[in-house]
């Protein structure tokens, strides 16, 4: 599969170059999949920038943006990019993508605009699931359906069942408040977007933190790694045996050097960055109090 993935990108670029040459045009911009766009991008970037001394295998742990690289959003990430580069030309496929994008945006907007008092969420969905013991202390507060869905163990079906029930009750009572003054009857998310809507809402805060971590890491490329740092599983429990061995053996002086070591994942580098910054802050506090 790893070889086939490289072949897809190589074939796409070869085809684009051939078309440009036959039309007497300059070489077109290369088709490149970024590390944040797909596992193929991670694979190719690793091989080009780091190389490998053994057969390369694609593991999810190699991708720093793996929370965003899900099966349910593969078309959202790559189909439009394929269209921009002339690789995807089927009008039905493009129309299906646009329809799915619209449905996902529409469902998320409905979740953001629908709100109930926290006590009503708890009454309808169960205190253990949608509130716990703290609900009774926040009787006047309201939460949107999106906020409730972000709670542990709450599913999109749980939330949408309550939304539909409230909407139907409002219609029976002749009130338009329950459905936020919309003329259309509220329904659940269709199967074609259900998983994507749930994942996008559930993982939003994690994706945002992921991007913040990677941004901090990129700014710290020139930061020095303490020469007396001991690479051991007690200090770095998430590191693989290979990563511990390579870091201990090569002793990189900066994070830029560490990032060039084959087999050390970006996520481990972020963990190392946080470890070093915590250590530096602790050292600075000790000096200030001395």
């Amino acid at each position: 599969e790893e070889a086939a993935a490289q072949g897809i990108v190589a074939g796409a670029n070869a085809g684009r170059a051939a078309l440009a040459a036959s039309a007497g045009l300059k070489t077109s911009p290369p088709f490149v999949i970024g590390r944040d766009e797909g596992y193929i991008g991670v694979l190719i970037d690793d091989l080009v920038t780091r190389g490998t001394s053994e057969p390369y295998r694609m593991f999810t742990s190699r991708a720093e943006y793996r929370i965003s690289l899900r099966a349910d959003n593969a078309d959202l990430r790559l189909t439009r990019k394929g269209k921009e580069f002339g690789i995807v030309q089927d009008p039905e496929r493009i129309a299906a993508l646009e329809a799915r994008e619209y449905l996902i945006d529409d469902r998320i907007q409905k979740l953001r605009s629908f709100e109930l008092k926290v006590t009503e969420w708890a009454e309808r969905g169960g205190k253990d699931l949608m509130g716990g013991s703290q609900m009774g202390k926040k009787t006047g507060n309201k939460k949107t359906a999106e906020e409730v869905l972000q709670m542990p163990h709450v599913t999109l079906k749980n939330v949408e069942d309550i939304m539909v029930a409230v909407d139907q009750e409002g219609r029976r009572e002749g009130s338009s408040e329950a459905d936020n003054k919309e003329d259309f009857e509220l329904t659940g998310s269709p199967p074609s977007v259900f998983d994507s809507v749930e994942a996008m809402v559930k993982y939003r805060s994690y994706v945002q933190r992921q991007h913040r971590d990677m941004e901090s890491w990129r700014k710290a490329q020139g930061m020095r790694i303490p020469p007396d740092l001991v690479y051991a599983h007690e200090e770095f429990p998430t590191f693989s045996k290979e990563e511990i061995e390579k870091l201990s053996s090569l002793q990189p002086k900066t994070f830029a050097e560490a990032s060039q070591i084959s087999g050390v994942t970006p996520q481990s580098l972020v963990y190392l960055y946080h470890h070093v910054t915590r250590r530096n802050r602790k050292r600075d506090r000790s000096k200030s109090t001395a």
Side-chain angles (χ1 to χ4, degrees), residues 76-95:
L76 304 177
R77 289 184 281 110
L78 298 173
T79 304
R80 191 167 294 283
K81 186 180 184 74
K83 176 189 174 185
E84 292 170 2
F85 281 84
I87 299 168
V88 176
Q89 298 180 342
D90 182 358
E92 290 186 7
R93 183 175 176 186
I94 295 168

Side-chain angles (χ1 to χ4, degrees), residues 35-53:
R35 295 183 68 94
D36 59 337
E37 294 177 314
Y39 283 106
I40 294 178
V42 176
L43 179 150
I44 293 175
D45 184 68
D46 279 352
L47 293 176
V48 170
T49 60
R50 301 183 184 186
T52 183
S53 58

Side-chain angles (χ1 to χ4, degrees), residues 64-231:
E64 60 270 43
Y65 296 102
R66 58 183 175 274
I67 298 176
S68 306
L69 306 181
R70 307 184 307 272
D72 70 87
N73 68 358
D75 58 333
L76 304 177
R77 289 184 281 110
L78 298 173
T79 304
R80 191 167 294 283
K81 186 180 184 74
K83 176 189 174 185
E84 292 170 2
F85 281 84
I87 299 168
V88 176
Q89 298 180 342
D90 182 358
E92 290 186 7
R93 183 175 176 186
I94 295 168
L97 170 68
E98 292 173 347
R100 218 168 89 80
E101 287 176 332
Y102 172 81
L103 282 172
I104 290 171
D105 289 341
D106 179 65
R107 296 312 306 182
I108 290 178
Q109 286 303 319
K110 281 182 168 60
L111 291 169
R112 287 176 180 168
S113 60
F114 184 96
E115 62 179 17
L116 292 173
K117 288 183 178 180
V118 290
T119 49
E120 189 169 356
W121 280 115
E123 289 169 3
R124 291 175 177 272
K127 289 185 179 180
D128 292 336
L129 184 64
M130 294 189 177
S133 60
Q134 297 298 313
M135 274 297 191
K137 301 177 182 179
K138 305 175 182 179
T139 54
N141 292 0
K142 287 187 175 183
K143 277 192 174 184
T144 65
E146 181 184 38
E147 291 171 326
V148 172
L149 180 54
Q150 290 172 344
M151 297 169 68
H153 311 301
V154 177
T155 66
L156 179 59
K157 186 177 186 307
N158 295 148
V159 172
E160 289 190 335
D161 284 349
I162 292 174
M163 292 171 65
V164 170
V166 171
D167 176 70
Q168 291 175 347
E169 290 169 12
R171 291 178 184 280
R172 283 196 297 269
E173 295 169 4
S175 168
S176 61
E177 294 180 2
D179 63 346
N180 298 302
K181 299 181 180 180
E182 292 182 356
D183 295 329
F184 299 101
E185 185 174 353
L186 196 59
T187 59
S189 297
S192 61
V193 300
F194 189 93
D195 289 343
S196 295
V197 171
E198 186 169 49
M200 290 174 76
V201 174
K202 282 284 190 186
Y203 298 146
R204 177 171 288 115
S205 61
Y206 297 101
V207 170
Q208 291 170 346
R209 185 174 66 187
Q210 172 184 265
H211 282 282
R212 287 196 301 270
D213 284 347
M214 293 313 302
E215 189 60 31
S216 298
W217 151 246
R218 287 195 186 93
K219 292 178 181 177
Q221 291 286 297
M223 183 177 173
R224 298 191 68 79
I225 299 174
D228 60 342
L229 189 63
V230 177
Y231 297 99

Side-chain angles (χ1 to χ4, degrees), residues 11-32 84-87:
N13 280 308
R16 284 171 52 77
L19 284 173
S22 64
L25 303 174
K26 293 182 179 179
T27 304
S28 55
F31 174 67
V32 178
E84 292 170 2
F85 281 84
I87 299 168

